Amino acid sequence: MGEKVVAGGFDLSDRQRYRRKLQQCLEGLGRLLEEKRFDRPKNLMGLEIELNLAGPDGTPKMMNAEVLERIASRDFQTELGMFNLEVNIVPHRLGGRVLDQLAEELRTGLAYAHRKANEVDAGIVMIGILPTLGRNDLVSANLSDVDRYQLLNDQIVAARGEDFMLDIGGVERLTCSFASIAPEAACTSVQLHLQVTPARFADVWNAAQAVAAAQIAVGANSPFLFGRELWRESRPPLFQQATDTRPPELQAQGVRPRTWFGERWVGSAYELFEENLRYFPALLPICDEEDPLLVLDDGGVPRLQELVLHNGTVYRWNRPVYGLADGVPHLRVENRVLPAGPTVTDVVANAAFYYGLVRALAEDARPVWTRLPFEVAAANFDAACRHGIDAELVWPKPGRGSGTTRVPAVKLVRDELLPLAAAGLDAWGIEPTDRDLYLGVIEQRCRRRVNGASWQVDTYHRALDAGLEREAALAATTRRYCELMHEGEPVHTWPVGFPTPG
């Protein structure tokens, strides 16, 4: 990101030049699409998991630099907060035993990272929001010491012009204010990537938007923030409010937030990149030396750096991604809906459900997005975040008729979505035993009405009933969660509460 990162400031000419470069990049993307320059399908998927560091007492440890130094692997990287890490799994081809292979790689990598963290009295926790995080943990001094995070914080704070207000009303209500974007670091998620052809992009993205609510309903794992019980998946409202560059007046005018679900089904990837330019001012107007149109004129493939950077500062729950591999451009859908955890088996089950479902829905002769208004899909997402496994969702009526019906999420998943996901995994060529194993995890969550969020809440209330104060109950819940997470059995099998002393 060059000298501008070090200088930490931008002037008017930087922003004007960046806007021109963005328009050139968008034109370049349009030409690449028109000339059909994109990679042929390789059925490639990728996986990233954001992680927390906590001590033996369950409280966050601000030491990702020390832990990363000990891990010494390029698969592990910094994240926004000093108590965060991220692990990246190399892209895999969807098919065969890939689900089991992913699970094995994750178990091996996370166990190694956990051992290395133990050397400095910390441990790895896969969870949506660490229940023991306090307001004093999420201050700008605890942002990772990386130029791009500091710069992003400075630019979002400058754009907003005042403190960030958090106001989340769930089971309890949380209201507080912050002077930085540090609360965003509380949100640790799983990102699922799928490489697609330009012709398939819109169908896959629309399918991913349609099923985001079902993903959250079965996968919610973030019920607490700052000692309050909020939504079953509190990351989306927290992330939106922690990155909101709009003061109240712009919110009242209907200006779009930088973290958003979207507002319509799309017909191409180009439409999403074009929306990014139309609606969102640049946060990091850093210009690359490349002239994308000149590169195209010379027969080359541009990196479109400005477009890529700008896209990374618009936090869609399903994000379009432009990338280059071996000089060949490709498109990906990045699914950012899911929280991390609880176990590797749960993460891979969530991935199997997603990849199977989007494949089946994207190829459906009567696509769900032609029968479900977009605002209903957005309302479903909100309902799933609030209520998790107990959510009710609106979905097209089965059969040839039209119209929608309200149905419990667990019934929708078991009766309609799991068979679709199984068919989609078959279309990918996934080994049937792996298909049944991992989709069986989702089915059992629905049957027992248990996911990470419900287990956390039930165990926390057991601790309160046993006489613990709120803070101690959250710490005890976190410690028990960590024990069971490292044992590795999926969350629907976890006993609620605490083992009685033997």
PDB file of all heavy atoms in Angstrom, residues 305-341:
ATOM      1  N   GLN A 305      -6.410  -3.325  -9.067  1.00  0.00           N
ATOM      2  CA  GLN A 305      -6.128  -3.194  -7.640  1.00  0.00           C
ATOM      3  C   GLN A 305      -7.082  -2.256  -6.909  1.00  0.00           C
ATOM      4  O   GLN A 305      -7.496  -2.527  -5.789  1.00  0.00           O
ATOM      5  CB  GLN A 305      -4.684  -2.706  -7.436  1.00  0.00           C
ATOM      6  CG  GLN A 305      -3.614  -3.703  -7.817  1.00  0.00           C
ATOM      7  CD  GLN A 305      -3.450  -4.803  -6.788  1.00  0.00           C
ATOM      8  OE1 GLN A 305      -4.342  -5.624  -6.606  1.00  0.00           O
ATOM      9  NE2 GLN A 305      -2.318  -4.825  -6.112  1.00  0.00           N
ATOM     10  N   GLU A 306      -7.406  -1.132  -7.536  1.00  0.00           N
ATOM     11  CA  GLU A 306      -8.294  -0.175  -6.870  1.00  0.00           C
ATOM     12  C   GLU A 306      -9.690  -0.782  -6.668  1.00  0.00           C
ATOM     13  O   GLU A 306     -10.301  -0.623  -5.613  1.00  0.00           O
ATOM     14  CB  GLU A 306      -8.406   1.116  -7.685  1.00  0.00           C
ATOM     15  CG  GLU A 306      -7.121   1.940  -7.720  1.00  0.00           C
ATOM     16  CD  GLU A 306      -6.132   1.485  -8.789  1.00  0.00           C
ATOM     17  OE1 GLU A 306      -6.459   0.544  -9.550  1.00  0.00           O
ATOM     18  OE2 GLU A 306      -5.037   2.060  -8.862  1.00  0.00           O
ATOM     19  N   LEU A 307     -10.175  -1.479  -7.682  1.00  0.00           N
ATOM     20  CA  LEU A 307     -11.490  -2.113  -7.586  1.00  0.00           C
ATOM     21  C   LEU A 307     -11.494  -3.172  -6.482  1.00  0.00           C
ATOM     22  O   LEU A 307     -12.442  -3.269  -5.699  1.00  0.00           O
ATOM     23  CB  LEU A 307     -11.853  -2.757  -8.930  1.00  0.00           C
ATOM     24  CG  LEU A 307     -13.301  -3.216  -9.099  1.00  0.00           C
ATOM     25  CD1 LEU A 307     -14.220  -2.026  -9.349  1.00  0.00           C
ATOM     26  CD2 LEU A 307     -13.420  -4.214 -10.245  1.00  0.00           C
ATOM     27  N   VAL A 308     -10.429  -3.946  -6.431  1.00  0.00           N
ATOM     28  CA  VAL A 308     -10.313  -5.007  -5.418  1.00  0.00           C
ATOM     29  C   VAL A 308     -10.258  -4.399  -4.013  1.00  0.00           C
ATOM     30  O   VAL A 308     -10.926  -4.868  -3.083  1.00  0.00           O
ATOM     31  CB  VAL A 308      -9.063  -5.877  -5.697  1.00  0.00           C
ATOM     32  CG1 VAL A 308      -8.769  -6.810  -4.528  1.00  0.00           C
ATOM     33  CG2 VAL A 308      -9.257  -6.678  -6.984  1.00  0.00           C
ATOM     34  N   LEU A 309      -9.462  -3.348  -3.847  1.00  0.00           N
ATOM     35  CA  LEU A 309      -9.329  -2.698  -2.535  1.00  0.00           C
ATOM     36  C   LEU A 309     -10.654  -2.085  -2.088  1.00  0.00           C
ATOM     37  O   LEU A 309     -11.078  -2.250  -0.937  1.00  0.00           O
ATOM     38  CB  LEU A 309      -8.237  -1.626  -2.606  1.00  0.00           C
ATOM     39  CG  LEU A 309      -7.964  -0.846  -1.319  1.00  0.00           C
ATOM     40  CD1 LEU A 309      -7.531  -1.767  -0.192  1.00  0.00           C
ATOM     41  CD2 LEU A 309      -6.888   0.225  -1.575  1.00  0.00           C
ATOM     42  N   HIS A 310     -11.319  -1.395  -3.004  1.00  0.00           N
ATOM     43  CA  HIS A 310     -12.595  -0.758  -2.674  1.00  0.00           C
ATOM     44  C   HIS A 310     -13.643  -1.818  -2.306  1.00  0.00           C
ATOM     45  O   HIS A 310     -14.397  -1.661  -1.336  1.00  0.00           O
ATOM     46  CB  HIS A 310     -13.077   0.085  -3.859  1.00  0.00           C
ATOM     47  CG  HIS A 310     -14.303   0.891  -3.572  1.00  0.00           C
ATOM     48  ND1 HIS A 310     -14.376   1.796  -2.538  1.00  0.00           N
ATOM     49  CD2 HIS A 310     -15.521   0.932  -4.181  1.00  0.00           C
ATOM     50  CE1 HIS A 310     -15.574   2.367  -2.528  1.00  0.00           C
ATOM     51  NE2 HIS A 310     -16.288   1.840  -3.503  1.00  0.00           N
ATOM     52  N   ASN A 311     -13.671  -2.899  -3.060  1.00  0.00           N
ATOM     53  CA  ASN A 311     -14.605  -3.995  -2.800  1.00  0.00           C
ATOM     54  C   ASN A 311     -14.397  -4.569  -1.398  1.00  0.00           C
ATOM     55  O   ASN A 311     -15.355  -4.988  -0.741  1.00  0.00           O
ATOM     56  CB  ASN A 311     -14.398  -5.090  -3.854  1.00  0.00           C
ATOM     57  CG  ASN A 311     -15.400  -6.224  -3.738  1.00  0.00           C
ATOM     58  OD1 ASN A 311     -16.604  -6.008  -3.692  1.00  0.00           O
ATOM     59  ND2 ASN A 311     -14.895  -7.453  -3.698  1.00  0.00           N
ATOM     60  N   GLY A 312     -13.139  -4.566  -0.929  1.00  0.00           N
ATOM     61  CA  GLY A 312     -12.828  -5.085   0.402  1.00  0.00           C
ATOM     62  C   GLY A 312     -13.296  -4.190   1.530  1.00  0.00           C
ATOM     63  O   GLY A 312     -13.270  -4.601   2.692  1.00  0.00           O
ATOM     64  N   THR A 313     -13.748  -2.967   1.217  1.00  0.00           N
ATOM     65  CA  THR A 313     -14.250  -2.054   2.254  1.00  0.00           C
ATOM     66  C   THR A 313     -15.773  -1.908   2.176  1.00  0.00           C
ATOM     67  O   THR A 313     -16.338  -1.016   2.802  1.00  0.00           O
ATOM     68  CB  THR A 313     -13.591  -0.664   2.151  1.00  0.00           C
ATOM     69  OG1 THR A 313     -13.981  -0.039   0.920  1.00  0.00           O
ATOM     70  CG2 THR A 313     -12.079  -0.764   2.222  1.00  0.00           C
ATOM     71  N   VAL A 314     -16.418  -2.752   1.383  1.00  0.00           N
ATOM     72  CA  VAL A 314     -17.883  -2.841   1.353  1.00  0.00           C
ATOM     73  C   VAL A 314     -18.219  -4.238   1.857  1.00  0.00           C
ATOM     74  O   VAL A 314     -17.885  -5.234   1.225  1.00  0.00           O
ATOM     75  CB  VAL A 314     -18.444  -2.612  -0.061  1.00  0.00           C
ATOM     76  CG1 VAL A 314     -19.971  -2.724  -0.044  1.00  0.00           C
ATOM     77  CG2 VAL A 314     -18.023  -1.242  -0.590  1.00  0.00           C
ATOM     78  N   TYR A 315     -18.854  -4.296   3.028  1.00  0.00           N
ATOM     79  CA  TYR A 315     -18.950  -5.561   3.765  1.00  0.00           C
ATOM     80  C   TYR A 315     -20.275  -6.269   3.487  1.00  0.00           C
ATOM     81  O   TYR A 315     -21.170  -6.325   4.333  1.00  0.00           O
ATOM     82  CB  TYR A 315     -18.749  -5.294   5.262  1.00  0.00           C
ATOM     83  CG  TYR A 315     -17.444  -4.590   5.546  1.00  0.00           C
ATOM     84  CD1 TYR A 315     -17.409  -3.230   5.840  1.00  0.00           C
ATOM     85  CD2 TYR A 315     -16.235  -5.283   5.484  1.00  0.00           C
ATOM     86  CE1 TYR A 315     -16.206  -2.576   6.074  1.00  0.00           C
ATOM     87  CE2 TYR A 315     -15.035  -4.636   5.724  1.00  0.00           C
ATOM     88  CZ  TYR A 315     -15.025  -3.284   6.012  1.00  0.00           C
ATOM     89  OH  TYR A 315     -13.839  -2.634   6.239  1.00  0.00           O
ATOM     90  N   ARG A 316     -20.388  -6.793   2.288  1.00  0.00           N
ATOM     91  CA  ARG A 316     -21.579  -7.585   1.931  1.00  0.00           C
ATOM     92  C   ARG A 316     -21.478  -8.955   2.599  1.00  0.00           C
ATOM     93  O   ARG A 316     -20.386  -9.506   2.737  1.00  0.00           O
ATOM     94  CB  ARG A 316     -21.658  -7.781   0.421  1.00  0.00           C
ATOM     95  CG  ARG A 316     -21.808  -6.509  -0.408  1.00  0.00           C
ATOM     96  CD  ARG A 316     -21.799  -6.854  -1.892  1.00  0.00           C
ATOM     97  NE  ARG A 316     -21.831  -5.680  -2.739  1.00  0.00           N
ATOM     98  CZ  ARG A 316     -22.938  -5.065  -3.146  1.00  0.00           C
ATOM     99  NH1 ARG A 316     -24.118  -5.534  -2.743  1.00  0.00           N
ATOM    100  NH2 ARG A 316     -22.884  -4.010  -3.924  1.00  0.00           N
ATOM    101  N   TRP A 317     -22.641  -9.523   2.941  1.00  0.00           N
ATOM    102  CA  TRP A 317     -22.628 -10.862   3.535  1.00  0.00           C
ATOM    103  C   TRP A 317     -22.316 -11.920   2.488  1.00  0.00           C
ATOM    104  O   TRP A 317     -21.792 -12.984   2.816  1.00  0.00           O
ATOM    105  CB  TRP A 317     -23.943 -11.135   4.265  1.00  0.00           C
ATOM    106  CG  TRP A 317     -24.070 -10.215   5.449  1.00  0.00           C
ATOM    107  CD1 TRP A 317     -24.920  -9.156   5.586  1.00  0.00           C
ATOM    108  CD2 TRP A 317     -23.257 -10.226   6.625  1.00  0.00           C
ATOM    109  NE1 TRP A 317     -24.692  -8.523   6.781  1.00  0.00           N
ATOM    110  CE2 TRP A 317     -23.679  -9.149   7.441  1.00  0.00           C
ATOM    111  CE3 TRP A 317     -22.212 -11.039   7.068  1.00  0.00           C
ATOM    112  CZ2 TRP A 317     -23.093  -8.875   8.673  1.00  0.00           C
ATOM    113  CZ3 TRP A 317     -21.627 -10.767   8.301  1.00  0.00           C
ATOM    114  CH2 TRP A 317     -22.075  -9.696   9.092  1.00  0.00           C
ATOM    115  N   ASN A 318     -22.617 -11.635   1.227  1.00  0.00           N
ATOM    116  CA  ASN A 318     -22.104 -12.432   0.111  1.00  0.00           C
ATOM    117  C   ASN A 318     -21.421 -11.452  -0.837  1.00  0.00           C
ATOM    118  O   ASN A 318     -22.081 -10.615  -1.440  1.00  0.00           O
ATOM    119  CB  ASN A 318     -23.224 -13.199  -0.596  1.00  0.00           C
ATOM    120  CG  ASN A 318     -23.687 -14.400   0.202  1.00  0.00           C
ATOM    121  OD1 ASN A 318     -22.956 -15.378   0.348  1.00  0.00           O
ATOM    122  ND2 ASN A 318     -24.905 -14.334   0.738  1.00  0.00           N
ATOM    123  N   ARG A 319     -20.120 -11.576  -0.920  1.00  0.00           N
ATOM    124  CA  ARG A 319     -19.314 -10.558  -1.605  1.00  0.00           C
ATOM    125  C   ARG A 319     -18.785 -11.109  -2.931  1.00  0.00           C
ATOM    126  O   ARG A 319     -18.341 -12.249  -2.993  1.00  0.00           O
ATOM    127  CB  ARG A 319     -18.143 -10.164  -0.694  1.00  0.00           C
ATOM    128  CG  ARG A 319     -17.197  -9.142  -1.275  1.00  0.00           C
ATOM    129  CD  ARG A 319     -15.965  -9.022  -0.395  1.00  0.00           C
ATOM    130  NE  ARG A 319     -16.116  -8.015   0.649  1.00  0.00           N
ATOM    131  CZ  ARG A 319     -15.317  -7.910   1.705  1.00  0.00           C
ATOM    132  NH1 ARG A 319     -14.320  -8.766   1.884  1.00  0.00           N
ATOM    133  NH2 ARG A 319     -15.504  -6.963   2.601  1.00  0.00           N
ATOM    134  N   PRO A 320     -18.809 -10.277  -3.996  1.00  0.00           N
ATOM    135  CA  PRO A 320     -18.142 -10.687  -5.232  1.00  0.00           C
ATOM    136  C   PRO A 320     -16.637 -10.500  -5.080  1.00  0.00           C
ATOM    137  O   PRO A 320     -16.198  -9.549  -4.418  1.00  0.00           O
ATOM    138  CB  PRO A 320     -18.712  -9.711  -6.272  1.00  0.00           C
ATOM    139  CG  PRO A 320     -18.958  -8.453  -5.484  1.00  0.00           C
ATOM    140  CD  PRO A 320     -19.359  -8.908  -4.098  1.00  0.00           C
ATOM    141  N   VAL A 321     -15.850 -11.374  -5.648  1.00  0.00           N
ATOM    142  CA  VAL A 321     -14.392 -11.263  -5.568  1.00  0.00           C
ATOM    143  C   VAL A 321     -13.805 -11.450  -6.968  1.00  0.00           C
ATOM    144  O   VAL A 321     -14.159 -12.407  -7.669  1.00  0.00           O
ATOM    145  CB  VAL A 321     -13.790 -12.318  -4.614  1.00  0.00           C
ATOM    146  CG1 VAL A 321     -12.259 -12.208  -4.583  1.00  0.00           C
ATOM    147  CG2 VAL A 321     -14.346 -12.161  -3.206  1.00  0.00           C
ATOM    148  N   TYR A 322     -12.930 -10.524  -7.354  1.00  0.00           N
ATOM    149  CA  TYR A 322     -12.154 -10.642  -8.587  1.00  0.00           C
ATOM    150  C   TYR A 322     -10.734 -11.022  -8.200  1.00  0.00           C
ATOM    151  O   TYR A 322     -10.152 -10.419  -7.290  1.00  0.00           O
ATOM    152  CB  TYR A 322     -12.145  -9.305  -9.339  1.00  0.00           C
ATOM    153  CG  TYR A 322     -11.174  -9.237 -10.502  1.00  0.00           C
ATOM    154  CD1 TYR A 322     -11.560  -9.643 -11.774  1.00  0.00           C
ATOM    155  CD2 TYR A 322      -9.870  -8.762 -10.335  1.00  0.00           C
ATOM    156  CE1 TYR A 322     -10.678  -9.581 -12.851  1.00  0.00           C
ATOM    157  CE2 TYR A 322      -8.984  -8.698 -11.407  1.00  0.00           C
ATOM    158  CZ  TYR A 322      -9.391  -9.107 -12.656  1.00  0.00           C
ATOM    159  OH  TYR A 322      -8.511  -9.047 -13.710  1.00  0.00           O
ATOM    160  N   GLY A 323     -10.184 -12.019  -8.840  1.00  0.00           N
ATOM    161  CA  GLY A 323      -8.823 -12.424  -8.520  1.00  0.00           C
ATOM    162  C   GLY A 323      -8.077 -12.907  -9.750  1.00  0.00           C
ATOM    163  O   GLY A 323      -8.662 -13.139 -10.816  1.00  0.00           O
ATOM    164  N   LEU A 324      -6.764 -13.040  -9.597  1.00  0.00           N
ATOM    165  CA  LEU A 324      -5.901 -13.577 -10.656  1.00  0.00           C
ATOM    166  C   LEU A 324      -5.174 -14.796 -10.115  1.00  0.00           C
ATOM    167  O   LEU A 324      -4.684 -14.781  -8.986  1.00  0.00           O
ATOM    168  CB  LEU A 324      -4.855 -12.545 -11.094  1.00  0.00           C
ATOM    169  CG  LEU A 324      -5.287 -11.353 -11.947  1.00  0.00           C
ATOM    170  CD1 LEU A 324      -4.083 -10.501 -12.289  1.00  0.00           C
ATOM    171  CD2 LEU A 324      -5.984 -11.804 -13.203  1.00  0.00           C
ATOM    172  N   ALA A 325      -5.105 -15.835 -10.917  1.00  0.00           N
ATOM    173  CA  ALA A 325      -4.299 -17.015 -10.582  1.00  0.00           C
ATOM    174  C   ALA A 325      -3.537 -17.416 -11.835  1.00  0.00           C
ATOM    175  O   ALA A 325      -4.145 -17.688 -12.872  1.00  0.00           O
ATOM    176  CB  ALA A 325      -5.185 -18.159 -10.107  1.00  0.00           C
ATOM    177  N   ASP A 326      -2.204 -17.381 -11.716  1.00  0.00           N
ATOM    178  CA  ASP A 326      -1.344 -17.683 -12.871  1.00  0.00           C
ATOM    179  C   ASP A 326      -1.690 -16.810 -14.069  1.00  0.00           C
ATOM    180  O   ASP A 326      -1.698 -17.270 -15.215  1.00  0.00           O
ATOM    181  CB  ASP A 326      -1.458 -19.164 -13.258  1.00  0.00           C
ATOM    182  CG  ASP A 326      -1.055 -20.091 -12.113  1.00  0.00           C
ATOM    183  OD1 ASP A 326      -0.092 -19.749 -11.398  1.00  0.00           O
ATOM    184  OD2 ASP A 326      -1.710 -21.131 -11.927  1.00  0.00           O
ATOM    185  N   GLY A 327      -1.994 -15.536 -13.797  1.00  0.00           N
ATOM    186  CA  GLY A 327      -2.256 -14.587 -14.869  1.00  0.00           C
ATOM    187  C   GLY A 327      -3.628 -14.691 -15.502  1.00  0.00           C
ATOM    188  O   GLY A 327      -3.930 -13.969 -16.456  1.00  0.00           O
ATOM    189  N   VAL A 328      -4.490 -15.573 -14.971  1.00  0.00           N
ATOM    190  CA  VAL A 328      -5.835 -15.755 -15.535  1.00  0.00           C
ATOM    191  C   VAL A 328      -6.853 -15.217 -14.535  1.00  0.00           C
ATOM    192  O   VAL A 328      -6.822 -15.579 -13.354  1.00  0.00           O
ATOM    193  CB  VAL A 328      -6.118 -17.252 -15.834  1.00  0.00           C
ATOM    194  CG1 VAL A 328      -7.508 -17.418 -16.450  1.00  0.00           C
ATOM    195  CG2 VAL A 328      -5.044 -17.822 -16.748  1.00  0.00           C
ATOM    196  N   PRO A 329      -7.779 -14.334 -14.985  1.00  0.00           N
ATOM    197  CA  PRO A 329      -8.754 -13.777 -14.041  1.00  0.00           C
ATOM    198  C   PRO A 329      -9.850 -14.778 -13.707  1.00  0.00           C
ATOM    199  O   PRO A 329     -10.187 -15.650 -14.516  1.00  0.00           O
ATOM    200  CB  PRO A 329      -9.340 -12.580 -14.795  1.00  0.00           C
ATOM    201  CG  PRO A 329      -9.191 -12.930 -16.232  1.00  0.00           C
ATOM    202  CD  PRO A 329      -7.937 -13.774 -16.341  1.00  0.00           C
ATOM    203  N   HIS A 330     -10.377 -14.669 -12.484  1.00  0.00           N
ATOM    204  CA  HIS A 330     -11.506 -15.501 -12.091  1.00  0.00           C
ATOM    205  C   HIS A 330     -12.421 -14.706 -11.165  1.00  0.00           C
ATOM    206  O   HIS A 330     -12.036 -13.670 -10.622  1.00  0.00           O
ATOM    207  CB  HIS A 330     -11.046 -16.795 -11.414  1.00  0.00           C
ATOM    208  CG  HIS A 330     -10.367 -16.584 -10.100  1.00  0.00           C
ATOM    209  ND1 HIS A 330      -9.003 -16.521  -9.976  1.00  0.00           N
ATOM    210  CD2 HIS A 330     -10.871 -16.404  -8.836  1.00  0.00           C
ATOM    211  CE1 HIS A 330      -8.689 -16.322  -8.702  1.00  0.00           C
ATOM    212  NE2 HIS A 330      -9.802 -16.241  -7.996  1.00  0.00           N
ATOM    213  N   LEU A 331     -13.642 -15.194 -11.005  1.00  0.00           N
ATOM    214  CA  LEU A 331     -14.619 -14.610 -10.086  1.00  0.00           C
ATOM    215  C   LEU A 331     -14.949 -15.613  -9.000  1.00  0.00           C
ATOM    216  O   LEU A 331     -14.995 -16.823  -9.253  1.00  0.00           O
ATOM    217  CB  LEU A 331     -15.906 -14.246 -10.837  1.00  0.00           C
ATOM    218  CG  LEU A 331     -15.839 -13.075 -11.814  1.00  0.00           C
ATOM    219  CD1 LEU A 331     -17.144 -12.980 -12.598  1.00  0.00           C
ATOM    220  CD2 LEU A 331     -15.572 -11.761 -11.087  1.00  0.00           C
ATOM    221  N   ARG A 332     -15.180 -15.086  -7.791  1.00  0.00           N
ATOM    222  CA  ARG A 332     -15.614 -15.939  -6.687  1.00  0.00           C
ATOM    223  C   ARG A 332     -16.795 -15.285  -5.986  1.00  0.00           C
ATOM    224  O   ARG A 332     -16.923 -14.061  -5.971  1.00  0.00           O
ATOM    225  CB  ARG A 332     -14.495 -16.143  -5.648  1.00  0.00           C
ATOM    226  CG  ARG A 332     -13.226 -16.732  -6.196  1.00  0.00           C
ATOM    227  CD  ARG A 332     -12.304 -17.234  -5.080  1.00  0.00           C
ATOM    228  NE  ARG A 332     -11.913 -16.255  -4.091  1.00  0.00           N
ATOM    229  CZ  ARG A 332     -10.885 -15.418  -4.215  1.00  0.00           C
ATOM    230  NH1 ARG A 332     -10.157 -15.413  -5.318  1.00  0.00           N
ATOM    231  NH2 ARG A 332     -10.579 -14.584  -3.235  1.00  0.00           N
ATOM    232  N   VAL A 333     -17.628 -16.116  -5.398  1.00  0.00           N
ATOM    233  CA  VAL A 333     -18.606 -15.652  -4.412  1.00  0.00           C
ATOM    234  C   VAL A 333     -18.010 -15.966  -3.050  1.00  0.00           C
ATOM    235  O   VAL A 333     -17.640 -17.110  -2.773  1.00  0.00           O
ATOM    236  CB  VAL A 333     -19.964 -16.360  -4.587  1.00  0.00           C
ATOM    237  CG1 VAL A 333     -20.908 -15.968  -3.454  1.00  0.00           C
ATOM    238  CG2 VAL A 333     -20.580 -16.002  -5.935  1.00  0.00           C
ATOM    239  N   GLU A 334     -17.882 -14.934  -2.208  1.00  0.00           N
ATOM    240  CA  GLU A 334     -17.362 -15.109  -0.849  1.00  0.00           C
ATOM    241  C   GLU A 334     -18.530 -15.024   0.122  1.00  0.00           C
ATOM    242  O   GLU A 334     -19.134 -13.965   0.305  1.00  0.00           O
ATOM    243  CB  GLU A 334     -16.323 -14.038  -0.510  1.00  0.00           C
ATOM    244  CG  GLU A 334     -15.754 -14.186   0.888  1.00  0.00           C
ATOM    245  CD  GLU A 334     -14.897 -12.997   1.332  1.00  0.00           C
ATOM    246  OE1 GLU A 334     -14.961 -11.935   0.671  1.00  0.00           O
ATOM    247  OE2 GLU A 334     -14.198 -13.130   2.343  1.00  0.00           O
ATOM    248  N   ASN A 335     -18.861 -16.149   0.739  1.00  0.00           N
ATOM    249  CA  ASN A 335     -19.950 -16.227   1.705  1.00  0.00           C
ATOM    250  C   ASN A 335     -19.390 -15.913   3.089  1.00  0.00           C
ATOM    251  O   ASN A 335     -18.549 -16.640   3.609  1.00  0.00           O
ATOM    252  CB  ASN A 335     -20.562 -17.636   1.648  1.00  0.00           C
ATOM    253  CG  ASN A 335     -21.683 -17.839   2.657  1.00  0.00           C
ATOM    254  OD1 ASN A 335     -21.464 -18.424   3.708  1.00  0.00           O
ATOM    255  ND2 ASN A 335     -22.870 -17.377   2.334  1.00  0.00           N
ATOM    256  N   ARG A 336     -19.877 -14.811   3.707  1.00  0.00           N
ATOM    257  CA  ARG A 336     -19.313 -14.297   4.955  1.00  0.00           C
ATOM    258  C   ARG A 336     -20.331 -14.372   6.105  1.00  0.00           C
ATOM    259  O   ARG A 336     -20.204 -13.689   7.105  1.00  0.00           O
ATOM    260  CB  ARG A 336     -18.897 -12.840   4.742  1.00  0.00           C
ATOM    261  CG  ARG A 336     -17.878 -12.661   3.634  1.00  0.00           C
ATOM    262  CD  ARG A 336     -17.858 -11.233   3.078  1.00  0.00           C
ATOM    263  NE  ARG A 336     -17.788 -10.235   4.108  1.00  0.00           N
ATOM    264  CZ  ARG A 336     -16.666  -9.883   4.739  1.00  0.00           C
ATOM    265  NH1 ARG A 336     -15.526 -10.478   4.418  1.00  0.00           N
ATOM    266  NH2 ARG A 336     -16.678  -8.964   5.671  1.00  0.00           N
ATOM    267  N   VAL A 337     -21.333 -15.215   5.930  1.00  0.00           N
ATOM    268  CA  VAL A 337     -22.488 -15.241   6.811  1.00  0.00           C
ATOM    269  C   VAL A 337     -22.199 -15.908   8.148  1.00  0.00           C
ATOM    270  O   VAL A 337     -22.672 -15.463   9.196  1.00  0.00           O
ATOM    271  CB  VAL A 337     -23.640 -15.992   6.088  1.00  0.00           C
ATOM    272  CG1 VAL A 337     -24.747 -16.367   7.048  1.00  0.00           C
ATOM    273  CG2 VAL A 337     -24.171 -15.136   4.942  1.00  0.00           C
ATOM    274  N   LEU A 338     -21.407 -16.982   8.133  1.00  0.00           N
ATOM    275  CA  LEU A 338     -21.329 -17.877   9.289  1.00  0.00           C
ATOM    276  C   LEU A 338     -20.355 -17.419  10.368  1.00  0.00           C
ATOM    277  O   LEU A 338     -19.278 -16.914  10.064  1.00  0.00           O
ATOM    278  CB  LEU A 338     -20.905 -19.272   8.822  1.00  0.00           C
ATOM    279  CG  LEU A 338     -21.947 -20.047   8.017  1.00  0.00           C
ATOM    280  CD1 LEU A 338     -21.290 -21.201   7.281  1.00  0.00           C
ATOM    281  CD2 LEU A 338     -23.057 -20.560   8.941  1.00  0.00           C
ATOM    282  N   PRO A 339     -20.714 -17.648  11.637  1.00  0.00           N
ATOM    283  CA  PRO A 339     -19.740 -17.466  12.712  1.00  0.00           C
ATOM    284  C   PRO A 339     -18.752 -18.618  12.724  1.00  0.00           C
ATOM    285  O   PRO A 339     -19.021 -19.692  12.171  1.00  0.00           O
ATOM    286  CB  PRO A 339     -20.612 -17.503  13.974  1.00  0.00           C
ATOM    287  CG  PRO A 339     -21.737 -18.420  13.601  1.00  0.00           C
ATOM    288  CD  PRO A 339     -22.003 -18.159  12.133  1.00  0.00           C
ATOM    289  N   ALA A 340     -17.614 -18.420  13.352  1.00  0.00           N
ATOM    290  CA  ALA A 340     -16.660 -19.510  13.544  1.00  0.00           C
ATOM    291  C   ALA A 340     -17.226 -20.518  14.537  1.00  0.00           C
ATOM    292  O   ALA A 340     -18.029 -20.185  15.405  1.00  0.00           O
ATOM    293  CB  ALA A 340     -15.334 -18.963  14.056  1.00  0.00           C
ATOM    294  N   GLY A 341     -16.777 -21.795  14.390  1.00  0.00           N
ATOM    295  CA  GLY A 341     -17.059 -22.833  15.378  1.00  0.00           C
ATOM    296  C   GLY A 341     -18.400 -23.520  15.208  1.00  0.00           C
ATOM    297  O   GLY A 341     -19.059 -23.357  14.183  1.00  0.00           O
TER     298      GLY A 341
END
